[in-house]
Amino acid sequence: MIRVAIFEDNKHLRETFELLLNYTDGFICTGAWPDCRNIVTNLEVYPSDIVLMDIEMPGMNGIAATKLVKEHFPKIDILIQTIFFEDEHIFNAICAGASGYILKSTTPEGYIEAIKDVQSGGSPMTPGIARRVIELFKHNLQPAAPAKEYNLTAQEKKVLQLLVQGKSYKMIAAELFVATDTVKSHVTSVYAKLHVHSGTEAVALALKDKIV
């Protein structure tokens, strides 16, 4: 059972997401709140695996809340959702520790797949956002010197390249003609070799050090 907490100021959307989760097998909504003023207490009282986080909320915004959550609950994954398609929001959310980024125009099925992907260690992003993230990291991160050797296998490099493109585990598996569990195994190995703990960290390092 994947436990999901919702922080969304739009009442209609908040209730819609809550219903979607509670009526989808394998999911449960642990709580739904209109703001983040008590987010640490909320997550202490209602333990969750994933937080579905809006960016624009009254008081503390979603980016500041993401940073706070990661400081107190490093194992909780955060899926940022927003109507905005702005570079600053994207870059700041990922730097704050978000595991993925999704637009509110995404279908219900897309939301469920994105949450599953996050739970499996992936970093879901819509294709448009993935392209922007790549450009943002290229402009904001300078190549490390001297270049580092991470000893990735050819297949691990292929998987990392597809993660950089914003593809889900299922999409990577289909493209490489392997099982999803095989992709997960490769990703676990990539994380270990890069000394990172999430897909966004792996993508950032891959672009920073020009690994792929």
Side-chain angles (χ1 to χ4, degrees):
M1 187 72 71
I2 301 176
R3 303 170 299 174
V4 184
I6 301 168
F7 292 88
E8 165 65 60
D9 65 333
N10 183 298
K11 185 174 184 291
H12 173 71
L13 286 177
R14 189 169 65 249
E15 292 177 348
T16 298
F17 292 140
E18 187 172 7
L19 285 171
L20 173 65
L21 291 167
N22 286 332
Y23 283 90
T24 300
D25 289 341
F27 292 82
I28 185 170
C29 179
T30 54
W33 296 273
D35 57 59
C36 298
R37 69 182 69 184
N38 297 312
I39 190 167
V40 173
T41 301
N42 295 148
L43 294 175
E44 285 176 342
V45 176
Y46 302 97
S48 304
D49 302 305
I50 294 172
V51 167
L52 193 57
M53 181 81 76
D54 187 18
I55 282 188
E56 294 296 330
M57 288 181 284
M60 184 186 299
N61 67 30
I63 294 172
T66 293
K67 186 175 181 180
L68 186 63
V69 170
K70 296 304 288 186
E71 288 173 353
H72 287 81
F73 311 98
K75 292 186 178 181
I76 292 181
D77 288 305
I78 299 170
L79 181 59
I80 291 286
Q81 49 152 9
T82 183
I83 59 173
F84 293 103
F85 206 6
E86 297 179 7
D87 293 350
E88 185 177 359
H89 283 307
I90 296 168
F91 189 72
N92 289 340
I94 291 174
C95 288
S99 298
Y101 201 109
I102 192 169
L103 292 178
K104 290 184 180 180
S105 56
T106 303
T107 64
E109 294 80 7
Y111 262 95
I112 293 299
E113 285 303 312
I115 294 170
K116 287 180 179 177
D117 200 10
V118 168
Q119 178 70 0
S120 298
S123 298
M125 299 181 197
T126 60
I129 285 178
R131 286 193 295 272
R132 290 191 183 219
V133 167
I134 291 170
E135 291 305 313
L136 284 169
F137 276 117
K138 283 180 179 177
H139 285 95
N140 284 278
L141 299 175
Q142 297 300 316
K148 297 179 180 179
E149 179 56 58
Y150 293 101
N151 298 314
L152 298 181
T153 66
Q155 192 77 333
E156 287 168 354
K157 284 187 176 181
K158 287 181 183 178
V159 170
L160 183 56
Q161 177 66 60
L162 294 172
L163 285 176
V164 167
Q165 295 173 15
K167 296 191 176 181
S168 68
Y169 286 11
K170 186 181 292 186
M171 294 167 68
I172 293 173
E175 186 154 335
L176 298 182
F177 302 102
V178 297
T180 303
D181 284 344
T182 301
V183 173
K184 292 179 181 178
S185 177
H186 284 314
V187 170
T188 298
S189 179
V190 168
Y191 286 3
K193 291 181 179 180
L194 300 187
H195 302 290
V196 299
H197 302 93
S198 70
T200 49
E201 288 182 281
V203 168
L205 189 60
L207 294 170
K208 176 176 177 287
D209 286 359
K210 296 185 176 179
I211 301 171
V212 295

